[in-house]
């Protein structure tokens, strides 16, 4: 059974996972996902603000998962990629709506709203972004 | 001042199963079943009522071109809400960035819950209570394996931003027709619905579709000739065409809004996905009459007029035709795994 603490932990991340919301440093124009509260480059001079990413990007690198961690077994084989968002940030995410053979480095993708994981039959359903090939 | 549709969005999942594949598994005659339906949509394992509604809602907001914080209400109709207790509307509101200042509720009225949602939001807008509201239907329908419903129970969503400013179609009038009719039901805790078999057509679908459609024609003082498009609930291809015939509507006026042969019965999304396809193609000035049907039973009718704003807004999101063409076929074994369905076999 998930603990109260686990529910609260998921809950705090709902908005960033649902909306692909991270942050950016307005001083040096660096983008962060997940949100960074301090700019590693500008340090104290950095100005950080919340930022909603467009959801468009390209595949920077990827791998095919054949032996999945708990909760993801039913999806195998599936692709997990590092996606370089058009604003510059890198995110790790599942790539859906295509077979592993269709995926290549540099492939344009867009975000889509999906179920990420279910905590068993009676637990929470965790939603968030994944990526799919750009039509 | 009238309210209307400011933005519309459809979502049709990518997976399909051919009805001939389902028929083979149950030793039914594939050709016989194929006459009723060619193929239907299947949700992927990571798709449900909420994810499809969010995708459709995002397209509707893109087309509306509005700040989602201006959305003052989210109502979603479905018979496959992911939770029995825990709202789908709050998930949608959060995902599109409309929370926290919004009214919200999940609605159920079988396949007419989506149009009920639109009526409620339309009323809030007309009353001046909210500037914009988001409403529609989304379903991942379930049929017991081997049951006639299994050939048709499909998945899809359609969502609408309703408001008064810059509408792509005015909602000119709406009227409902409801009676207590036990044609189709599913009890709490039961996985699959039951239906009254042969009983479903006459006192269910036809009585209510005709009741609402004739009612709105009479109330608005219009006739079939005044409309360019008719959209009816489509649990199969035959019922909407038969209803049209009874009402004296030429077949051509029904076909644009009839998606059943290509996607199946998307329940709460069925009539409104048909409406999305009409909005993808209709020219300014076109008049639309849509009537939904939900078992239990009732129908909601709407009369609408397309405005000259449609041209700018249509291309802001993917059209229904593109989502119908973008598909991947799966076989019955994969389908059963995706729907986690094998356990339903008695
Ligand atoms: Zn910086």
């Amino acid at each position: 059974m998930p603990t109260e603490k686990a529910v609260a932990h998921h809950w705090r991340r709902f908005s960033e996972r649902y909306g692909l919301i991270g942050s950016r440093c307005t001083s040096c124009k660096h983008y962060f996902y997940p949100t960074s509260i301090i700019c590693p480059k500008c340090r104290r001079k950095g100005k950080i603000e919340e930022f909603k990413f467009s959801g468009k990007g390209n595949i920077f690198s990827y791998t095919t998962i054949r032996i999945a961690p708990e909760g993801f077994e039913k999806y195998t084989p599936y692709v997990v990629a590092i996606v370089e968002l058009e604003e510059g940030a890198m995110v790790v995410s599942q790539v859906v709506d295509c077979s592993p053979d269709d995926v290549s480095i540099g492939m344009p993708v867009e975000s889509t709203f999906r179920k990420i994981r279910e905590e068993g039959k009676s637990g929470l359903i965790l939603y968030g972004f994944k990526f799919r090939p750009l039509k | 001042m009238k309210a209307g549709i400011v933005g519309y969005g459809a979502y049709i999942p990518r997976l399909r199963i051919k009805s001939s594949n389902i028929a083979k598994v149950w030793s039914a005659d594939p050709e016989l079943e194929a006459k009723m339906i060619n193929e239907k949509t299947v949700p992927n394992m990571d798709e449900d009522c909420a994810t499809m509604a969010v995708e459709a809602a995002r397209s509707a907001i893109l087309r509306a071109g509005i700040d989602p914080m201006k959305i003052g209400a989210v109502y979603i109709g479905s018979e496959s809400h992911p939770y029995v207790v825990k709202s789908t509307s709050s998930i949608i509101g959060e995902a599109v960035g409309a929370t926290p200042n919004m009214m919200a509720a999940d609605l159920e009225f079988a396949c007419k819950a989506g149009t009920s949602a639109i009526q409620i939001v339309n009323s809030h807008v007309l009353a001046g209570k909210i500037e914009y509201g988001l409403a529609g239907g989304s379903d991942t329908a379930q049929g017991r394996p081997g049951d006639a419903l299994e050939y048709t129970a499909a998945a899809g969503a359609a969502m609408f931003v309703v408001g008064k400013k810059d509408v792509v179609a005015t909602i000119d009038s709406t009227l409902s027709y409801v009676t207590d009719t036990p044609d189709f039901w599913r009890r709490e805790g039961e996985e699959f619905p039951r239906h009254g078999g042969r009983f479903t057509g006459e006192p269910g679908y036809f009585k209510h579709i005709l009741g609402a459609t004739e009612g709105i024609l009479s109330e608005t003082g219009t006739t079939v000739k005044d409309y360019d498009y008719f959209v009816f609930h489509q649990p199969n291809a035959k019922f909407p065409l038969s209803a049209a015939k009874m009402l004296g509507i030429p077949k051509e006026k029904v076909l644009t809004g009839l998606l059943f042969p290509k996607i199946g019965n998307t329940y709460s999304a069925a009539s409104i996905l048909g409406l999305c396809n009409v909005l993808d193609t209709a020219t300014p000035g076109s008049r639309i009459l849509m009537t939904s049907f939900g078992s239990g039973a009732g129908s909601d009718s709407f009369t609408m007029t397309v405005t000259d704003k449609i041209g700018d807004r249509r291309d802001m999101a993917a059209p229904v035709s593109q989502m119908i063409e973008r598909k991947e076929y799966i076989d019955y074994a994969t389908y059963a795994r995706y729907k986690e369905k094998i356990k339903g076999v008695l």
Side-chain angles (χ1 to χ4, degrees), chain A residues 18 74 112-113 125 127 130, chain B residues 46 48 55 58 83 337:
Chain A
Y18 283 13
K74 63 181 178 181
T112 173
F113 188 77
I125 305 168
Y127 295 98
K130 292 183 182 178
Chain B
D46 59 358
D48 66 13
E55 291 281 321
R58 285 178 174 168
Y83 293 93
R337 179 176 166 230

Side-chain angles (χ1 to χ4, degrees), chain A residues 9-10 13-20 33 126-129:
Chain A
H9 168 79
H10 291 311
R13 297 198 62 192
F14 275 5
S15 100
E16 62 182 69
R17 279 182 182 161
Y18 283 13
L20 193 46
Y33 187 91
L126 301 171
Y127 295 98
F129 62 84

Side-chain angles (χ1 to χ4, degrees), chain A residues 25-30 32 39-43 45-48:
Chain A
C25 171
T26 51
S27 309
C28 70
K29 307 279 185 284
H30 260 75
F32 309 98
C39 174
K41 199 175 154 204
C42 309
R43 304 276 171 172
K45 286 177 193 151
K47 279 205 178 74
I48 297 278

